[in-house]
Amino acid sequence: RFQARLDYARKFGDHNVSGMLLFYLQNKVISNQVPYRYMGFSGRATYDYRNKYLFEFNIGYNGSENFARGKRYGVFPAGAVGWVITQERFMRGVKWLDHLKLRASWGKAGNNQGIGNYAWQAVYATQNVVVDGSGSKGLYISSLSNADLKWETTATTDIGLDMGFFDNR
């Protein structure tokens, strides 16, 4: 397993910017000595202005040998925005409300679990058969190939309101 990460954070007056890049590679041997590889890149960029207006963007690019060539990689983006309303001037006189944030996010995730290793390939097996009165081994397809297997994807949207009252942030 190999992983490399690069982080960045900087403040420019009222502006805060951060970012992260990640590369990971996993080589492992699973049951019956079958090798399996999984790799990916991930990135995140965030920006906020005065801790009031919040923006985040994420991207993942993952590859798995569970899928045939041409279907092995998937791109999975996500983003979020937020507005900390209690940071606005018009909220300064409200003593009982310590924190009020409106937030929304959308993201796409990918899954390659439960598919089985190399499930996109046909599996061959042998069986004893009788040919012309004598025993022999015959070869047959025990599992059909499915070159159309691809990443299972799910998109999620969230909208929320975070609140804190009476010194409970």
Side-chain angles (χ1 to χ4, degrees):
R1 181 176 171 178
F2 174 77
Q3 183 171 314
R5 180 177 168 153
L6 178 63
D7 289 299
Y8 175 82
R10 185 109 191 243
K11 184 172 179 141
F12 303 95
D14 292 333
H15 307 272
N16 294 300
V17 178
S18 69
M20 182 272 303
L21 291 174
L22 174 68
F23 171 76
Y24 47 93
L25 175 64
Q26 182 176 0
N27 286 320
K28 66 181 178 178
V29 176
I30 52 177
S31 63
N32 299 327
Q33 305 298 316
V34 177
Y36 170 75
R37 284 192 295 258
Y38 180 87
M39 65 153 281
F41 294 94
S42 296
R44 177 180 64 233
T46 64
Y47 169 78
D48 78 70
Y49 177 72
R50 293 187 177 180
N51 296 317
K52 187 186 322 187
Y53 308 114
L54 315 169
F55 302 93
E56 181 174 317
F57 177 73
N58 298 282
I59 188 103
Y61 181 72
N62 300 326
S64 170
E65 286 188 335
N66 283 356
F67 310 109
R69 288 190 173 110
K71 308 251 184 189
R72 285 189 180 159
Y73 294 92
V75 177
F76 308 104
V81 295
W83 176 31
V84 183
I85 301 167
T86 46
Q87 293 282 19
E88 298 289 353
R89 274 190 223 157
F90 63 83
M91 293 296 293
R92 288 190 183 149
V94 181
K95 302 290 184 203
W96 56 271
L97 183 61
D98 299 315
H99 182 74
L100 178 62
K101 178 170 74 172
L102 179 63
R103 58 182 168 77
S105 64
W106 176 87
K108 187 175 172 184
N111 180 25
N112 73 328
Q113 302 299 310
I115 293 169
N117 297 312
Y118 304 100
W120 57 275
Q121 291 181 323
V123 175
Y124 295 88
T126 59
Q127 184 174 5
N128 291 327
V129 295
V130 176
V131 178
D132 292 332
S134 64
S136 182
K137 292 260 186 203
L139 184 66
Y140 71 98
I141 297 175
S142 63
S143 177
L144 296 175
S145 65
N146 184 353
D148 291 328
L149 281 177
K150 60 183 179 179
W151 285 88
E152 174 186 26
T153 58
T154 303
T156 304
T157 302
D158 289 312
I159 298 173
L161 194 61
D162 299 343
M163 294 182 272
F165 304 96
F166 306 109
D167 290 329
N168 182 8
R169 295 180 186 263

